[in-house]
Amino acid sequence: MKVLVSAVACDPRGGSENFVGWQAVSALALDHDVWVVTSARHRESFEAVRKAGEIPPNVHVQYHGEFRPWHPNRLLARIQDWREFLRWSSTLLPFARELHRELQFDVSHHVTYSTWRVPSPLGHLEMPFVWGPVGGAGSMPRRFYSTLSPGGMTFEAVRSAAAMGRYSSSLKACARSAAHIFASCAQTQGILQKMRRSESGVSVLSPGFFFPKQFAKFPGDHTLSRDRGKLQLFAGGNIIGSKGCALALQALAIAKREGLQFCYTIAGGGPEEPYLRRLAGGLGLSEVQFIGPLRGEDYLRALREAHIFLLPSFRENIGLTMLEAMLSGAVPVVLNRSAPGESVTEECGFKIEVNTVQQVIQDFAAAILRLDQDRELLQRMSAAAMARVREKFSEAHYRSCVGRVYRELAATHQPSDRRAKVLPTP
């Protein structure tokens, strides 16, 4: 089939949403001819990868929209990112319509940004439209705002107010025009079914998955001794308020008073980091180290050295760093919310229920202490975590789910006469 993919974030050498976009394109290209419309921000990266011969010949990249250099302030850059996405989406339809007129696609598919909060215009084209996987249903309860910095608190309050957007006519129209919607978790699935006024045509599929060559980077034979020595804990990504790191620090302070010897590495940085540094200092946690983003072998080494992945995030569409940590043998200790809550089982990790602030802190401390004191349990959960990701988050599973939907759409939609013309990549 000829597939038109909308992916504002799509970079063969990028991380986070850019990684998700390129993973989706790479998987779809194994079975279909793919035209991906992405931000012009990624042109330089794509051209470098193309020159290296690392882009399949049936992947055609089209650039759309304008961009400005990132603001040096991480919080303002995050707001800039969303405003850029909104502009990109609002001007995409004429561009996509012209591509469809020239090439006559079989199906359109929006993959990034992977949020239900911004409607895709692709449903207005005369072909079946697939939306997702999209997420974004998770939220941070107001009773937890007290654990955030002033900036983090403001951002969460604004985001919570914006959740009323689920009732907008444009979002309803997008949900109802889609031939199929993939939701990243059951919570998001429920919201989309309400907007769609139907339980049919909405299924759960994780946007995060791994190819065999990526699995090979994680050999699955964790050699770090787990029967002695201090506990190694790891968290990574864009450290914003909803990641819940303040809760993790307070839990570690309790565990330290109980005799825990540990090192907690927080990698990636973000707008909440200055506040967390002050909090760690006030709690007397010299064992916490904040480091910048890790890449390549440095990142893989940090994951291999970790006993526990500790990140009490209130919302995650994927939890990609968590999945990679699990592949490396780290046991996840997370909140029972959004994608992590659905990805982690009792056999491979701890899922902490969300009731009160103090309860969450105490339960995280108890889980950490239990794993430290019972290294045999730690070892069993480590093996189960690696097996869980390899079984449930493979490229083959993603292709199977999407391919089944594509085939169903092809069987019910009769395209008009097509005389394809390949457009050169700008």
Side-chain angles (χ1 to χ4, degrees):
M1 298 177 68
K2 295 173 64 176
V3 183
L4 173 64
V5 172
S6 163
V8 65
C10 182
D11 188 333
R13 295 179 175 177
S16 191
E17 283 279 309
N18 288 314
F19 175 84
V20 170
W22 180 240
Q23 285 282 93
V25 168
S26 300
L28 295 176
L30 293 175
D31 304 306
H32 310 282
D33 291 324
V34 178
W35 278 256
V36 54
V37 183
T38 189
S39 169
R41 183 181 292 280
H42 308 306
R43 183 190 297 269
E44 183 178 345
S45 179
F46 266 106
E47 292 307 311
V49 174
R50 186 181 299 280
K51 289 179 181 178
E54 298 175 4
I55 296 182
N58 62 326
V59 172
H60 313 276
V61 186
Q62 302 289 322
Y63 303 103
H64 171 65
E66 299 178 351
F67 66 93
R68 296 179 179 178
W70 293 120
H71 195 284
N73 181 286
R74 293 287 294 268
L75 180 59
L76 294 179
R78 191 161 181 249
I79 296 173
Q80 173 192 350
D81 191 18
W82 272 99
R83 293 184 64 183
E84 184 177 298
F85 174 42
L86 292 172
R87 289 195 302 270
W88 190 89
S89 296
S90 66
T91 58
L92 177 61
L93 184 57
F95 186 85
R97 182 171 283 139
E98 179 62 20
L99 280 178
H100 184 40
R101 185 186 68 81
E102 295 285 345
L103 296 164
Q104 291 296 292
F105 298 103
D106 296 295
V107 63
S108 63
H109 190 162
H110 173 87
V111 295
T112 63
Y113 280 153
S114 53
T115 175
W116 64 266
R117 293 170 181 267
V118 179
S120 170
L122 296 186
H124 294 283
L125 300 175
E126 294 182 357
M127 62 175 143
F129 164 52
V130 177
W131 193 19
V134 291
S139 62
M140 189 175 196
R142 288 184 177 275
R143 59 186 177 277
F144 287 83
Y145 284 10
S146 61
T147 66
L148 304 177
S149 69
M153 191 181 304
T154 300
F155 184 89
E156 290 303 315
V158 171
R159 185 183 183 277
S160 179
M164 291 301 294
R166 76 179 65 175
Y167 302 109
S168 74
S169 58
S170 58
L171 278 169
K172 290 178 181 178
C174 182
R176 294 166 191 171
S177 68
H180 192 89
I181 306 176
F182 290 112
S184 65
C185 65
Q187 188 178 4
T188 302
Q189 181 186 30
I191 288 177
L192 292 167
Q193 287 173 336
K194 289 180 180 178
M195 292 199 307
R196 191 176 173 84
R197 292 182 181 171
S198 173
E199 293 184 358
S200 66
V202 186
S203 60
V204 175
L205 176 65
S206 173
F209 58 89
F210 301 91
F211 286 85
K213 64 180 180 181
Q214 293 167 329
F215 277 135
K217 295 180 180 179
F218 306 91
D221 57 349
H222 205 298
T223 57
L224 181 66
S225 174
R226 294 175 179 273
D227 58 359
R228 63 181 183 276
K230 66 173 60 175
L231 202 65
Q232 302 289 332
L233 305 101
F234 180 85
N238 185 24
I239 306 303
I240 57 177
S242 64
K243 298 292 184 180
C245 287
L247 297 168
L249 294 180
Q250 294 179 69
L252 287 171
I254 293 175
K256 182 178 179 178
R257 291 196 292 271
E258 295 292 325
L260 178 71
Q261 296 183 17
F262 69 96
C263 176
Y264 184 33
T265 299
I266 301 177
E272 203 74 355
E273 182 180 327
Y275 167 73
L276 294 173
R277 284 180 177 272
R278 293 192 297 272
L279 178 61
L283 292 170
L285 296 178
S286 59
E287 300 88 347
V288 178
Q289 56 179 2
F290 296 87
I291 59 178
L294 295 174
R295 302 187 185 280
E297 185 56 37
D298 290 336
Y299 176 62
L300 295 175
R301 185 183 305 110
L303 294 181
R304 286 195 298 266
E305 292 175 351
H307 296 96
I308 293 174
F309 177 80
L310 177 63
L311 191 66
S313 184
F314 285 86
R315 60 174 184 271
E316 296 281 351
N317 283 356
I318 310 168
L320 186 62
T321 303
M322 180 193 76
L323 295 179
E324 291 175 332
M326 290 170 66
L327 271 176
S328 301
V331 175
V333 181
V334 298
L335 290 177
N336 191 13
R337 306 275 288 198
S338 64
E342 295 178 24
S343 302
V344 175
T345 66
E346 294 181 356
E347 290 74 27
C348 71
F350 286 85
K351 300 189 294 184
I352 306 303
E353 297 298 330
V354 178
N355 294 311
T356 68
V357 172
Q358 195 57 37
Q359 165 264 321
V360 166
I361 293 171
Q362 291 285 352
D363 287 355
F364 266 96
I368 294 166
L369 286 168
R370 183 179 175 190
L371 287 170
D372 179 55
Q373 295 162 3
D374 189 346
R375 294 300 176 102
E376 290 186 3
L377 173 64
L378 180 68
Q379 190 71 46
R380 290 196 304 273
M381 284 191 161
S382 172
M386 290 186 280
R388 171 72 174 169
V389 178
R390 290 180 179 275
E391 178 185 0
K392 297 296 183 180
F393 298 91
S394 69
E395 155 264 325
H397 176 69
Y398 181 91
R399 286 171 60 198
S400 174
C401 293
V402 175
R404 182 172 59 252
V405 168
Y406 281 10
R407 289 190 297 272
E408 291 173 354
L409 296 180
T412 57
H413 179 75
Q414 297 298 321
S416 59
D417 177 57
R418 304 181 186 281
R419 286 175 290 184
K421 180 172 70 175
V422 177
L423 298 184
T425 301

